[in-house]
Amino acid sequence: MDTIIRFFQEGGAFMYPIAFVMAVGLAIAIERLLFLMKEKSSNRRAFEEMLPMLQKRDLRNALNYANGSGTKIGDIFSAAIARIPGSQRREEIEYALEEGLMEAIPQLEKRTQYVATLANIATLMGLLGTIMGLIAAFTAVANAAPAEKAALLSQSISVAMNTTAFGLMAAIPLILLHSFLQTKTNEIVDSIEMAGVKFLNIITERKPGQTPNGN
């Protein structure tokens, strides 16, 4: 612990904004991770509970459940079911599903890009801190006695490099978390698309002896 504290203190003033950026990035990543885990679980549960209603063509109860589920897949299915009475064409229902998905994706990706941005900011602040530290080091060396220049320069460069190291220590976890969040988001989008295909197939499937008009 003493080594970590000394490392932080020797890095200079730029260590504090880097630590702040790291803390904000981690907070956003944790919030997004919890949100995505909740969405994945609730969407799966909503689809499993609506599936028997859809298979029985009980659209009224399916619509009521979808409206009250508070899930992305419920909102998408609700828009599609509402479109069914006015049109039995597969294309019309598919357009409603695609429209709902396009509205859901930005909400799933909300704030995720901030994590990658903060990772880049942490890296750049680390480099900036190192450059400012080197400038201060060379300025101090220029006014120092010849016998002290080598030791003073070596010590100053070591301190300046701490900022770069801490910037990378903050950036690397944030980049990994951003990649993980993107993967989780893509998994949810893929599952919603798959559920939409199943929904479309169930709704537009004709029962034996059924005419195109549903009679």
Side-chain angles (χ1 to χ4, degrees):
M1 181 61 68
D2 292 339
T3 303
I4 296 175
I5 295 175
R6 185 168 60 254
F7 168 78
F8 191 84
Q9 292 175 341
E10 290 177 353
F14 277 87
M15 300 289 274
Y16 297 97
I18 294 173
F20 176 76
V21 169
M22 183 179 183
V24 172
L26 290 175
I28 293 175
I30 293 173
E31 183 271 332
R32 285 286 87 193
L33 180 59
L34 295 176
F35 171 80
L36 293 175
M37 291 173 63
K38 180 182 177 181
E39 281 295 318
K40 184 177 181 179
S41 175
S42 60
N43 283 334
R44 182 188 297 113
R45 183 175 62 254
F47 178 73
E48 290 175 351
E49 294 184 3
M50 278 191 289
L51 185 58
M53 304 178 196
L54 296 173
Q55 291 171 338
K56 295 176 182 178
R57 304 298 179 94
D58 188 1
L59 299 183
R60 178 175 298 179
N61 285 332
L63 180 60
N64 291 334
Y65 181 87
N67 289 331
S69 66
T71 61
K72 297 294 183 296
I73 200 167
D75 295 339
I76 295 172
F77 282 10
S78 175
I81 294 173
R83 187 75 62 88
I84 293 174
S87 175
Q88 291 291 337
R89 294 178 56 194
R90 182 184 179 95
E91 292 79 8
E92 293 292 332
I93 302 173
E94 187 174 1
Y95 292 153
L97 291 171
E98 291 178 354
E99 181 180 352
L101 182 61
M102 291 176 65
E103 293 177 355
I105 289 177
Q107 298 177 28
L108 293 173
E109 295 179 341
K110 188 177 180 180
R111 289 191 293 275
T112 299
Q113 293 300 325
Y114 292 166
V115 179
T117 301
L118 291 171
N120 292 330
I121 291 174
T123 303
L124 294 175
M125 291 185 70
L127 294 174
L128 180 60
T130 297
I131 292 173
M132 297 298 293
L134 291 176
I135 292 174
F138 283 112
T139 301
V141 168
N143 300 322
E148 300 176 354
K149 286 186 177 182
L152 183 60
L153 182 61
S154 176
Q155 181 181 2
S156 299
I157 290 177
S158 176
V159 171
M161 289 298 178
N162 287 350
T163 310
T164 299
F166 189 56
L168 294 175
M169 289 169 61
I172 291 173
L174 293 180
I175 292 174
L176 293 175
L177 285 171
H178 174 261
S179 178
F180 183 75
L181 291 173
Q182 285 287 83
T183 301
K184 286 296 181 184
T185 301
N186 292 337
E187 288 178 358
I188 295 175
V189 173
D190 291 342
S191 66
I192 293 177
E193 289 179 343
M194 181 61 67
V197 172
K198 292 181 179 179
F199 171 89
L200 197 59
N201 291 336
I202 292 172
I203 293 300
T204 58
E205 180 183 7
R206 295 177 187 170
K207 295 181 179 179
Q210 186 179 31
T211 65
N213 293 326
N215 299 319

